[in-house]
């Protein structure tokens, strides 16, 4: 059984058209700059009207051109979101810049193998 | 036994009920349905309120500064504290304080200064490291994490799984095998600081309880000094057993609280919802589901209060605690399931708390000793312990 800690799918260009094709499901996502440096790790929770599609459409509108994204449909969006944040912190020594502006109230520490 | 609350108990019940309905539930409406934390400002404000109510540190014995609440009253309050969306695993979002399974009242004075008192003041958090990938139902035999003597201390190697809060804690109590030849008499409990070299929180373990997650730990040549032994070497199993037995009573109470909340929702809905020109409440099929809910709740409440009363009187309560845990976790699960059935499609959505309770209640039949182990405990009592 392999357990994937990191979200390592290929990046896609963040556009309204690409976001509109996403499923309306719960899950997590990452936003990166043009070079693939992660800017933000987000979640599409149960309050998102159309899940990942709503969140990524909003991100595309707010960020404009030049960003990339990748998503993971996941019913356990909340614990997976915490996990991705902790793994990023372990790998890079800090949260992604846009998460650091408004970090979750309590975030644990992971030391992934 | 008479389980009607005294006037003093009723006053406390009313106080906690008001707190849940006026403070917790309105805040919860603004949170993600899978949340397990309050925003820091709200947490502080509500914790100040529980302190002002004299109920902060509700599980802490009086000699350590906790409120003077006996276990029967504690059960009655736990039933109230669970009656909101996150209430099964995070009653009132932790605003009543306490350290759960990792309260180390048997610590020596030095350990109390370094760990217990800061934990009771809310300055440190702890985890309880017992279960391993090799199994959790029979820890005496399943524990494979080893601790070997070295340099006036012990070197730990092994792994733990389904450990809550280890990623956020400053320390934990960890059970390891110190004598492979002695079974349950070869296990020692260690206090391990989470910044000890060789201690690793490897990953989040994603389960049905997606809000309040657990973790997997690895100990790799993790050295701890003799000062970190909790109690005596090779007597750690008694520490674990004590926690697990005592925990079964409040664990059962939480299930009852959620079952009551789900049952009340189902009653309200049945009185309001009309199908084929008739209220659901007038349908015999629905009435019988509500009756079965009532019976499951009353049964669990009776057995849980019976176990608590025996514990309060200093009588043996191991069997009663097993019956309480069994009836409350299994009965509570049935109640939530029926409440969902009565709500139909709406019951499946995250708009209502039922789906979260359904997922989390399923874990209750496994966590803190599965139903089958509770039945083993009860069977030993019925058949005589000499059958083992």
């Amino acid at each position: 059984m392999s357990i994937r800690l990191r979200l390592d799918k290929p990046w896609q260009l963040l556009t309204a058209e690409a976001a509109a094709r996403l499923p309306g499901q719960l899950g997590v996502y990452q936003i990166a700059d043009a070079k693939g440096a992660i800017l933000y790790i987000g979640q599409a929770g149960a309050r998102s009207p159309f899940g990942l599609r709503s969140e990524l459409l909003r991100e595309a509108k707010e960020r404009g051109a030049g960003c990339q994204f990748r998503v993971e449909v996941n019913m356990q969006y909340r614990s997976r979101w915490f996990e991705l944040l902790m793994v990023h912190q372990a790998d890079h020594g800090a949260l992604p810049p846009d998460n650091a502006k408004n970090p979750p109230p309590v975030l644990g520490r992971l030391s992934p193998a | 036994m008479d389980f009607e609350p005294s006037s003093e108990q009723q006053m406390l019940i009313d106080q906690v009920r008001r707190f849940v309905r006026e403070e917790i539930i309105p805040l919860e409406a603004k949170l993600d349905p899978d949340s397990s934390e309050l925003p820091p400002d709200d947490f502080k404000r509500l914790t100040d309120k529980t302190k002002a109510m004299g109920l902060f540190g509700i599980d802490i014995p009086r000699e350590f500064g906790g409120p003077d609440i006996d276990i029967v009253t504690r059960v009655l309050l736990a039933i109230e504290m669970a009656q909101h969306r996150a209430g099964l695993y995070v009653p009132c979002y932790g605003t009543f304080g306490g350290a759960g399974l990792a309260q180390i009242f048997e610590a020596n004075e030095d350990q109390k200064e370094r760990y217990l008192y800061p934990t009771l003041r809310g300055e440190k958090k702890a985890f309880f490291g017992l279960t391993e990938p090799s199994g959790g139902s029979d820890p005496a035999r399943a524990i494979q994490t080893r601790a070997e003597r070295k340099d006036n201390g012990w070197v730990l190697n092994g792994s733990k799984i389904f450990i809550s809060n280890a990623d956020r804690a400053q320390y934990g109590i960890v059970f390891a095998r110190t004598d492979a030849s002695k079974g349950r008499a070869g296990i020692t409990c260690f206090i391990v600081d989470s910044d000890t070299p060789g201690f690793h929180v490897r990953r989040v373990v994603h389960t049905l309880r997606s809000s309040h997650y657990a973790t997997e730990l690895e100990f790799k040549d993790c050295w701890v000094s003799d000062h970190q032994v909790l109690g005596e070497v090779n007597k750690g199993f008694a520490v674990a057993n004590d926690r697990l037995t005592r925990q079964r009573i409040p664990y059962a109470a939480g299930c009852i609280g959620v079952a009551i909340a789900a049952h009340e929702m189902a009653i309200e809905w049945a009185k309001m919802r009309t199908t084929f020109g008739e209220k659901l409440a007038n349908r015999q099929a629905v009435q019988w589901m509500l009756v079965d809910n009532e019976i499951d709740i009353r049964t669990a409440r009776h057995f849980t209060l019976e176990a608590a009363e025996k514990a309060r009187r200093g009588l043996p309560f191991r069997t009663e605690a097993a019956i309480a845990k069994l009836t409350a976790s299994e009965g509570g699960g049935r109640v939530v399931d029926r409440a969902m059935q009565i709500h139909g499609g709406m019951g499946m959505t995250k708009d209502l708390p039922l789906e979260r309770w359904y997922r989390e209640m399923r874990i209750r039949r496994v966590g803190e000793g599965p139903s089958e182990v509770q039945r083993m405990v009860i069977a030993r009592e019925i058949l005589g312990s000499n059958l083992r």
Side-chain angles (χ1 to χ4, degrees):
Chain A
M1 181 177 64
S2 87
I3 295 157
R4 289 174 58 186
L5 284 182
R6 293 169 180 83
L7 212 176
D8 51 8
K9 294 176 177 178
W11 293 107
Q12 297 180 60
L13 207 56
L14 179 61
T15 63
E17 293 72 30
R21 287 195 295 272
L22 290 169
Q25 286 172 287
L26 306 173
V28 290
Y29 63 91
Q30 292 176 333
I31 305 285
D33 64 16
K35 293 178 179 170
I38 295 174
L39 302 172
Y40 184 67
I41 299 171
Q43 57 170 314
R47 298 263 186 259
S48 303
F50 293 95
L52 287 164
R53 192 189 313 148
S54 299
E55 293 303 315
L56 271 298
L57 277 168
R58 181 185 54 74
E59 294 280 2
K61 188 176 171 190
E62 287 175 7
R63 290 177 186 273
C67 288
Q68 306 182 83
F69 77 99
R70 54 192 175 192
V71 303
E72 178 181 294
V73 172
N74 198 321
M75 290 297 285
Q76 291 145 324
Y77 58 92
R78 196 149 178 91
S79 54
R80 182 64 170 136
W81 179 62
F82 280 119
E83 181 175 61
L84 288 173
L85 288 172
M86 288 189 282
V87 168
H88 187 93
Q89 191 154 256
D91 288 349
H92 301 278
L95 288 173
D98 291 352
N99 291 103
K101 291 174 194 164
N102 185 22
V106 189
L107 189 66
R109 302 167 306 276
L110 283 189
S111 46
Chain B
M1 291 179 193
D2 177 14
F3 296 133
E4 275 307 302
S6 67
S7 57
E8 192 183 343
Q9 286 171 328
Q10 192 59 54
M11 199 178 69
L12 287 170
I13 290 169
D14 292 343
Q15 204 177 4
V16 172
R17 186 173 295 168
R18 265 200 312 278
F19 182 82
V20 170
R21 292 184 182 184
E22 293 174 11
E23 303 288 355
I24 299 291
I25 292 175
L27 273 181
E28 217 163 39
K30 299 174 194 160
L31 299 175
D32 185 280
D34 263 7
S35 283
S36 284
E37 304 96 17
L38 292 177
D41 289 351
D42 289 320
F43 181 80
K44 184 179 179 319
R45 181 175 58 80
L46 295 186
T47 302
D48 288 344
K49 282 201 170 189
T50 64
K51 286 178 180 169
M53 288 157 67
L55 292 174
F56 184 75
I58 199 160
D59 290 322
I60 300 170
R62 191 181 190 180
E63 63 263 38
F64 294 105
D68 192 15
I69 290 178
D70 66 82
I71 187 161
V72 175
T73 310
R74 176 70 185 90
V75 162
L76 293 168
L77 298 186
I79 290 171
E80 295 300 324
M81 288 163 62
Q83 294 185 35
H84 59 98
R85 190 189 291 264
L88 193 58
Y89 279 97
V90 206
C92 295
Y93 293 89
T95 52
F96 283 84
L101 288 166
Q103 291 185 5
I104 51 174
F105 298 118
E106 58 275 88
N108 61 36
E109 278 312 309
D110 167 56
Q111 291 168 340
K112 281 178 182 162
E113 289 295 334
R114 288 188 292 138
Y115 299 105
L116 178 61
Y117 299 137
T119 305
L120 299 184
R121 290 194 296 266
E123 297 161 6
K124 282 191 174 181
K125 292 193 184 305
F127 67 87
F128 181 76
L130 178 67
T131 300
E132 300 197 2
S134 50
S137 298
D138 181 14
R141 293 173 185 81
I143 288 176
Q144 293 180 8
T145 295
R146 301 182 319 279
E148 291 166 343
R149 288 293 293 166
K150 188 178 179 186
D151 301 336
N152 296 322
W154 300 83
V155 177
L156 274 65
N157 277 289
S159 58
K160 300 280 176 185
I161 198 165
F162 303 127
I163 310 301
S164 296
N165 299 321
D167 58 318
R168 300 171 178 194
Q170 284 74 41
Y171 73 96
I173 60 174
V174 174
F175 298 86
R177 193 167 292 286
T178 36
D179 188 334
S181 68
K182 287 187 179 167
R184 67 174 57 194
I187 293 166
T188 301
C189 181
F190 296 92
I191 305 171
V192 179
D193 290 305
S194 53
D195 59 359
T196 307
F199 170 79
H200 304 283
V201 184
R202 287 304 191 197
R203 68 178 177 110
V204 169
V205 182
H206 301 282
T207 67
L208 287 172
R209 195 183 68 184
S210 58
S211 50
H212 191 59
Y213 58 81
T215 60
E216 181 170 351
L217 313 182
E218 184 184 11
F219 299 88
K220 208 169 179 180
D221 296 328
C222 176
W223 182 86
V224 295
S225 80
D226 280 332
H227 300 298
Q228 301 302 100
V229 172
L230 180 66
E232 293 179 46
V233 172
N234 288 336
K235 293 192 175 168
F237 187 74
V239 176
N241 218 19
D242 170 71
R243 297 293 192 287
L244 294 174
T245 304
R246 275 195 290 133
Q247 182 68 7
R248 278 171 195 155
I249 300 174
Y251 201 80
C255 297
I256 298 166
V258 162
I260 290 171
H263 186 38
E264 286 178 351
M265 285 176 64
I267 292 168
E268 285 303 306
W269 184 252
K271 284 179 175 175
M272 196 175 72
R273 182 72 159 178
T274 299
T275 58
F276 303 102
E278 192 75 61
K279 298 281 187 202
L280 286 182
N282 294 335
R283 306 270 181 209
Q284 190 182 52
V286 173
Q287 289 172 357
W288 287 16
M289 281 196 264
L290 293 173
V291 169
D292 288 343
N293 279 358
E294 185 72 22
I295 292 168
D296 274 330
I297 289 168
R298 288 190 191 212
T299 305
R301 188 175 182 278
H302 177 89
F303 285 131
T304 304
L305 286 171
E306 182 189 33
E309 176 61 15
K310 283 211 163 182
R312 188 189 69 79
R313 288 158 59 185
L315 299 171
F317 63 95
R318 189 175 160 78
T319 305
E320 287 75 12
I323 294 173
K325 199 270 181 184
L326 186 68
T327 51
S329 59
E330 295 202 343
R334 288 193 295 268
V335 170
V336 173
D337 184 73
R338 291 187 202 105
M340 291 177 87
Q341 191 69 19
I342 290 168
H343 277 82
M346 280 305 293
M348 314 299 141
T349 68
K350 283 185 178 290
D351 295 3
L352 300 181
L354 292 167
E355 68 86 31
R356 178 168 174 175
W357 293 337
Y358 181 80
R359 289 183 283 118
E360 294 186 344
M361 196 68 96
R362 180 64 187 84
I363 299 173
R364 295 292 223 185
R365 284 163 49 199
V366 171
E368 310 285 335
S371 292
E372 292 71 24
V373 169
Q374 308 308 328
R375 287 188 166 89
M376 277 171 58
V377 170
I378 301 162
R380 279 179 200 151
E381 171 74 15
I382 295 167
L383 298 168
S385 56
N386 58 348
L387 285 181
R388 284 195 65 213

